[in-house]
Amino acid sequence: MMTASRGLRLTQHQAHGTSLFAVGSTGLFGALAYGIKSGEEGEDDDIANNSTDTKMPQQQGLVELDIALALTATAMVTARFGAIASSKMSERSLKRALGAFMLVIAPLVPGKKYLDDWLEGNGKASTDKQVQTQIDNSVAHQPSNLERLLPASFIGTFSGFLSGMFGVGGGAIVVPSLVLSTDMSHHAALGTSLCAMVLPAMVGVLTHANKGNVAWRVAPSLALGSAVGAYIGGKEIGLHLEEDVLRGGFGVLMLVLGARTWRTAR
Protein backbone atom coordinates (compact mmCIF):
# COMPACT_ATOMS: atom_id res chain seq x y z
CA MET A 1 0.00 0.00 0.00
CA MET A 2 2.74 2.47 0.91
CA THR A 3 4.57 1.77 -2.37
CA ALA A 4 1.35 2.29 -4.40
CA SER A 5 0.46 5.63 -2.83
CA ARG A 6 1.51 7.62 -5.91
CA GLY A 7 -0.81 5.66 -8.22
CA LEU A 8 -3.73 6.15 -5.84
CA ARG A 9 -2.88 9.85 -5.42
CA LEU A 10 -2.43 9.62 -1.69
CA THR A 11 0.01 11.47 0.50
CA GLN A 12 2.46 9.35 2.50
CA HIS A 13 0.48 10.03 5.68
CA GLN A 14 -2.78 8.96 3.98
CA ALA A 15 -1.10 5.82 2.65
CA HIS A 16 -0.02 4.83 6.15
CA GLY A 17 -3.43 5.51 7.71
CA THR A 18 -5.41 3.83 4.91
CA SER A 19 -3.16 0.78 4.84
CA LEU A 20 -4.02 0.09 8.48
CA PHE A 21 -7.66 -0.33 7.43
CA ALA A 22 -6.56 -3.16 5.14
CA VAL A 23 -4.24 -4.56 7.82
CA GLY A 24 -7.25 -5.22 10.05
CA SER A 25 -9.13 -7.25 7.43
CA THR A 26 -5.92 -9.04 6.42
CA GLY A 27 -5.32 -10.09 10.02
CA LEU A 28 -8.85 -11.34 10.61
CA PHE A 29 -9.20 -13.46 7.48
CA GLY A 30 -5.57 -14.57 7.47
CA ALA A 31 -5.92 -15.88 11.03
CA LEU A 32 -9.07 -17.76 10.04
CA ALA A 33 -7.12 -19.39 7.22
CA TYR A 34 -4.40 -20.64 9.59
CA GLY A 35 -6.94 -21.76 12.21
CA ILE A 36 -7.06 -21.34 15.98
CA LYS A 37 -4.94 -23.82 17.92
CA SER A 38 -7.02 -25.66 20.52
CA GLY A 39 -5.73 -26.89 23.86
CA GLU A 40 -6.22 -30.48 22.74
CA GLU A 41 -3.46 -30.09 20.17
CA GLY A 42 -0.98 -30.91 22.89
CA GLU A 43 2.68 -30.87 23.60
CA ASP A 44 3.50 -33.76 21.28
CA ASP A 45 2.33 -31.70 18.29
CA ASP A 46 4.45 -28.72 19.39
CA ILE A 47 7.56 -30.88 19.70
CA ALA A 48 6.92 -32.47 16.32
CA ASN A 49 6.42 -29.12 14.62
CA ASN A 50 9.53 -27.55 16.20
CA SER A 51 11.73 -30.50 15.34
CA THR A 52 10.84 -30.30 11.64
CA ASP A 53 10.83 -26.56 11.16
CA THR A 54 11.78 -26.75 7.50
CA LYS A 55 8.79 -28.92 6.61
CA MET A 56 5.16 -28.10 6.05
CA PRO A 57 2.90 -28.06 9.12
CA GLN A 58 0.25 -30.66 9.75
CA GLN A 59 -3.28 -29.52 8.95
CA GLN A 60 -4.31 -28.18 12.34
CA GLY A 61 -4.87 -24.85 14.03
CA LEU A 62 -1.68 -22.79 14.22
CA VAL A 63 -2.83 -19.54 15.84
CA GLU A 64 -1.80 -19.48 19.53
CA LEU A 65 -4.67 -17.41 20.86
CA ASP A 66 -3.23 -16.64 24.30
CA ILE A 67 -0.04 -15.24 22.76
CA ALA A 68 -2.08 -13.29 20.21
CA LEU A 69 -4.13 -11.73 23.02
CA ALA A 70 -0.98 -10.81 24.96
CA LEU A 71 0.40 -9.13 21.85
CA THR A 72 -2.89 -7.32 21.27
CA ALA A 73 -3.26 -6.01 24.83
CA THR A 74 -0.10 -3.90 24.70
CA ALA A 75 -0.14 -3.17 20.96
CA MET A 76 -3.57 -1.51 21.21
CA VAL A 77 -2.13 1.03 23.64
CA THR A 78 1.04 1.86 21.73
CA ALA A 79 -0.53 1.86 18.23
CA ARG A 80 -2.21 5.17 19.04
CA PHE A 81 1.11 6.76 20.02
CA GLY A 82 2.74 5.45 16.84
CA ALA A 83 -0.01 7.04 14.74
CA ILE A 84 0.43 10.34 16.58
CA ALA A 85 4.21 10.23 16.05
CA SER A 86 3.68 9.52 12.35
CA SER A 87 1.53 12.62 11.89
CA LYS A 88 4.34 14.80 13.27
CA MET A 89 7.00 13.53 10.85
CA SER A 90 7.65 14.93 7.37
CA GLU A 91 6.68 12.65 4.48
CA ARG A 92 10.30 12.27 3.43
CA SER A 93 11.42 11.30 6.93
CA LEU A 94 8.52 8.90 7.33
CA LYS A 95 9.26 7.17 4.04
CA ARG A 96 12.97 6.89 4.71
CA ALA A 97 12.33 5.50 8.20
CA LEU A 98 10.00 2.85 6.75
CA GLY A 99 12.54 1.89 4.08
CA ALA A 100 15.34 1.61 6.63
CA PHE A 101 13.14 -0.49 8.92
CA MET A 102 12.36 -2.97 6.12
CA LEU A 103 16.01 -3.23 5.10
CA VAL A 104 17.05 -4.02 8.67
CA ILE A 105 14.31 -6.64 9.07
CA ALA A 106 14.97 -8.35 5.70
CA PRO A 107 17.90 -10.64 6.64
CA LEU A 108 16.85 -11.48 10.21
CA VAL A 109 14.22 -14.20 9.68
CA PRO A 110 15.96 -16.19 6.89
CA GLY A 111 19.25 -15.80 8.74
CA LYS A 112 17.99 -17.15 12.08
CA LYS A 113 18.49 -20.79 11.11
CA TYR A 114 22.13 -20.24 10.13
CA LEU A 115 22.77 -18.14 13.23
CA ASP A 116 21.39 -20.92 15.44
CA ASP A 117 23.64 -23.46 13.71
CA TRP A 118 26.66 -21.21 14.17
CA LEU A 119 25.92 -20.64 17.85
CA GLU A 120 25.50 -24.35 18.45
CA GLY A 121 28.84 -24.96 16.74
CA ASN A 122 27.49 -27.98 14.96
CA GLY A 123 25.27 -27.14 12.03
CA LYS A 124 25.30 -30.76 10.83
CA ALA A 125 23.88 -32.40 13.93
CA SER A 126 21.60 -35.30 13.14
CA THR A 127 17.84 -34.82 13.07
CA ASP A 128 17.37 -37.61 15.61
CA LYS A 129 19.67 -35.88 18.08
CA GLN A 130 17.83 -32.56 17.63
CA VAL A 131 14.46 -34.22 18.20
CA GLN A 132 15.68 -36.00 21.33
CA THR A 133 17.16 -32.79 22.73
CA GLN A 134 13.87 -30.95 22.23
CA ILE A 135 11.93 -33.77 23.88
CA ASP A 136 14.30 -33.81 26.85
CA ASN A 137 14.08 -30.03 27.23
CA SER A 138 10.30 -30.12 27.02
CA VAL A 139 10.07 -32.79 29.71
CA ALA A 140 12.57 -31.03 31.95
CA HIS A 141 10.86 -27.65 31.85
CA GLN A 142 7.41 -26.62 30.72
CA PRO A 143 7.16 -22.82 30.55
CA SER A 144 4.58 -21.19 32.79
CA ASN A 145 1.90 -18.91 31.41
CA LEU A 146 3.92 -15.91 32.57
CA GLU A 147 7.05 -17.13 30.78
CA ARG A 148 5.01 -17.63 27.59
CA LEU A 149 3.02 -14.40 27.66
CA LEU A 150 5.48 -11.85 29.05
CA PRO A 151 7.76 -11.84 25.97
CA ALA A 152 4.68 -11.51 23.76
CA SER A 153 3.56 -8.47 25.75
CA PHE A 154 6.94 -6.79 25.22
CA ILE A 155 6.83 -7.60 21.51
CA GLY A 156 3.31 -6.14 21.33
CA THR A 157 4.51 -2.90 22.92
CA PHE A 158 7.03 -2.23 20.17
CA SER A 159 5.05 -3.75 17.31
CA GLY A 160 1.98 -1.67 18.15
CA PHE A 161 3.97 1.56 18.07
CA LEU A 162 5.71 0.70 14.80
CA SER A 163 2.46 -0.53 13.26
CA GLY A 164 0.73 2.73 14.12
CA MET A 165 3.66 4.76 12.79
CA PHE A 166 4.35 2.90 9.54
CA GLY A 167 0.91 1.44 8.76
CA VAL A 168 2.23 -2.12 8.60
CA GLY A 169 1.04 -5.28 10.28
CA GLY A 170 2.51 -8.32 11.97
CA GLY A 171 4.24 -9.62 8.87
CA ALA A 172 6.94 -6.99 9.18
CA ILE A 173 7.17 -6.68 12.96
CA VAL A 174 5.64 -9.48 15.03
CA VAL A 175 6.69 -12.41 12.83
CA PRO A 176 10.43 -11.66 13.01
CA SER A 177 10.15 -10.99 16.75
CA LEU A 178 8.34 -14.25 17.47
CA VAL A 179 10.61 -16.32 15.25
CA LEU A 180 13.77 -14.79 16.73
CA SER A 181 12.74 -14.80 20.39
CA THR A 182 10.69 -18.01 20.70
CA ASP A 183 10.68 -21.56 19.37
CA MET A 184 7.52 -21.01 17.31
CA SER A 185 7.57 -22.25 13.73
CA HIS A 186 7.31 -19.65 10.98
CA HIS A 187 3.80 -20.88 10.10
CA ALA A 188 2.62 -20.51 13.71
CA ALA A 189 4.23 -17.08 14.01
CA LEU A 190 2.47 -15.96 10.82
CA GLY A 191 -0.95 -17.12 11.98
CA THR A 192 -0.55 -15.74 15.50
CA SER A 193 0.67 -12.35 14.28
CA LEU A 194 -2.25 -12.09 11.84
CA CYS A 195 -4.68 -12.61 14.70
CA ALA A 196 -2.86 -10.14 16.94
CA MET A 197 -2.85 -7.28 14.42
CA VAL A 198 -6.65 -6.85 14.06
CA LEU A 199 -7.54 -4.67 17.06
CA PRO A 200 -4.31 -2.60 17.12
CA ALA A 201 -4.84 -1.83 13.43
CA MET A 202 -8.33 -0.54 14.17
CA VAL A 203 -6.97 1.68 16.96
CA GLY A 204 -4.43 3.09 14.51
CA VAL A 205 -7.15 3.66 11.89
CA LEU A 206 -9.27 5.66 14.33
CA THR A 207 -6.31 7.82 15.33
CA HIS A 208 -5.29 8.47 11.71
CA ALA A 209 -8.93 9.13 10.75
CA ASN A 210 -9.22 11.81 13.42
CA LYS A 211 -6.29 13.56 11.75
CA GLY A 212 -7.75 13.18 8.26
CA ASN A 213 -5.21 10.59 7.16
CA VAL A 214 -7.56 7.81 5.99
CA ALA A 215 -8.72 7.86 2.34
CA TRP A 216 -12.23 6.44 2.68
CA ARG A 217 -12.73 6.40 -1.11
CA VAL A 218 -10.27 3.50 -1.40
CA ALA A 219 -10.24 1.97 2.09
CA PRO A 220 -13.30 -0.38 1.78
CA SER A 221 -12.27 -1.88 -1.57
CA LEU A 222 -8.70 -2.21 -0.35
CA ALA A 223 -9.88 -4.03 2.78
CA LEU A 224 -12.10 -6.37 0.75
CA GLY A 225 -9.30 -7.30 -1.62
CA SER A 226 -6.90 -7.78 1.27
CA ALA A 227 -9.34 -10.06 3.10
CA VAL A 228 -9.82 -12.31 0.06
CA GLY A 229 -6.10 -12.39 -0.67
CA ALA A 230 -5.18 -13.12 2.96
CA TYR A 231 -7.59 -16.03 3.27
CA ILE A 232 -6.71 -17.65 -0.05
CA GLY A 233 -3.01 -16.97 0.40
CA GLY A 234 -2.95 -18.49 3.87
CA LYS A 235 -5.25 -21.43 3.21
CA GLU A 236 -4.12 -22.47 -0.25
CA ILE A 237 -0.50 -21.33 -0.38
CA GLY A 238 1.02 -20.43 3.00
CA LEU A 239 0.07 -23.68 4.73
CA HIS A 240 1.57 -25.72 1.88
CA LEU A 241 4.95 -24.01 1.64
CA GLU A 242 8.01 -25.24 3.49
CA GLU A 243 9.48 -23.12 6.29
CA ASP A 244 12.67 -22.25 4.39
CA VAL A 245 10.67 -21.04 1.39
CA LEU A 246 8.51 -18.81 3.60
CA ARG A 247 11.53 -17.37 5.39
CA GLY A 248 13.40 -16.71 2.18
CA GLY A 249 10.37 -15.16 0.51
CA PHE A 250 9.81 -12.92 3.51
CA GLY A 251 13.40 -11.70 3.42
CA VAL A 252 13.36 -10.98 -0.31
CA LEU A 253 10.03 -9.12 -0.08
CA MET A 254 11.25 -6.91 2.78
CA LEU A 255 14.51 -6.22 0.92
CA VAL A 256 12.80 -5.21 -2.33
CA LEU A 257 10.12 -3.06 -0.66
CA GLY A 258 12.63 -1.46 1.69
CA ALA A 259 15.04 -0.55 -1.10
CA ARG A 260 12.24 0.84 -3.24
CA THR A 261 10.72 2.85 -0.41
CA TRP A 262 14.10 4.34 0.54
CA ARG A 263 14.97 5.14 -3.10
CA THR A 264 11.68 6.92 -3.82
CA ALA A 265 11.74 9.05 -0.66
CA ARG A 266 11.87 12.73 -1.56
Side-chain angles (χ1 to χ4, degrees):
M1 175 65 193
M2 277 75 72
T3 58
S5 58
R6 184 179 301 177
L8 294 174
R9 297 181 180 178
L10 304 178
T11 68
Q12 193 65 28
H13 290 97
Q14 287 177 327
H16 285 225
T18 306
S19 69
L20 279 176
F21 195 83
V23 165
S25 63
T26 299
L28 177 60
F29 286 89
L32 291 175
Y34 280 92
I36 305 298
K37 183 176 181 180
S38 68
E40 285 137 16
E41 292 164 6
E43 299 163 5
D44 292 339
D45 291 336
D46 292 335
I47 295 171
N49 285 337
N50 291 334
S51 64
T52 57
D53 66 349
T54 61
K55 297 183 179 180
M56 293 177 288
Q58 299 177 2
Q59 295 300 312
Q60 60 184 17
L62 292 171
V63 176
E64 300 200 21
L65 191 57
D66 56 346
I67 291 181
L69 291 174
L71 288 164
T72 298
T74 51
M76 285 181 64
V77 176
T78 56
R80 180 175 182 273
F81 294 106
I84 293 172
S86 172
S87 68
K88 295 181 179 180
M89 296 174 66
S90 69
E91 293 201 14
R92 182 176 182 273
S93 297
L94 192 60
K95 205 166 187 177
R96 280 191 174 272
L98 176 61
F101 170 76
M102 289 180 172
L103 290 173
V104 169
I105 289 295
L108 296 183
V109 171
K112 179 177 184 288
K113 176 183 176 182
Y114 303 101
L115 178 62
D116 287 344
D117 288 344
W118 180 77
L119 291 174
E120 289 173 4
N122 184 14
K124 296 182 179 180
S126 68
T127 301
D128 290 343
K129 183 177 180 180
Q130 292 174 357
V131 172
Q132 186 60 48
T133 299
Q134 289 180 336
I135 292 174
D136 291 343
N137 290 339
S138 178
V139 172
H141 174 69
Q142 291 297 328
S144 65
N145 286 335
L146 182 62
E147 290 174 318
R148 276 171 45 81
L149 301 182
L150 192 58
S153 297
F154 282 117
I155 292 171
T157 300
F158 293 103
S159 69
F161 182 84
L162 294 175
S163 179
M165 174 177 285
F166 294 136
V168 295
I173 304 169
V174 178
V175 171
S177 299
L178 288 177
V179 170
L180 293 171
S181 63
T182 72
D183 60 356
M184 291 178 69
S185 70
H186 196 80
H187 291 95
L190 278 173
T192 301
S193 70
L194 284 166
C195 182
M197 75 171 69
V198 179
L199 291 178
M202 293 301 98
V203 171
V205 167
L206 291 174
T207 305
H208 277 287
N210 289 334
K211 297 180 178 298
N213 290 332
V214 176
W216 295 110
R217 61 185 173 83
V218 300
S221 56
L222 181 66
L224 178 61
S226 298
V228 173
Y231 188 82
I232 295 176
K235 193 78 170 178
E236 304 300 330
I237 300 176
L239 285 172
H240 302 285
L241 290 177
E242 294 184 356
E243 291 271 334
D244 285 347
V245 175
L246 280 175
R247 290 172 177 167
F250 175 89
V252 171
L253 179 63
M254 289 294 101
L255 183 64
V256 172
L257 291 179
R260 180 179 177 183
T261 301
W262 178 273
R263 182 175 57 83
T264 56
R266 293 181 178 180

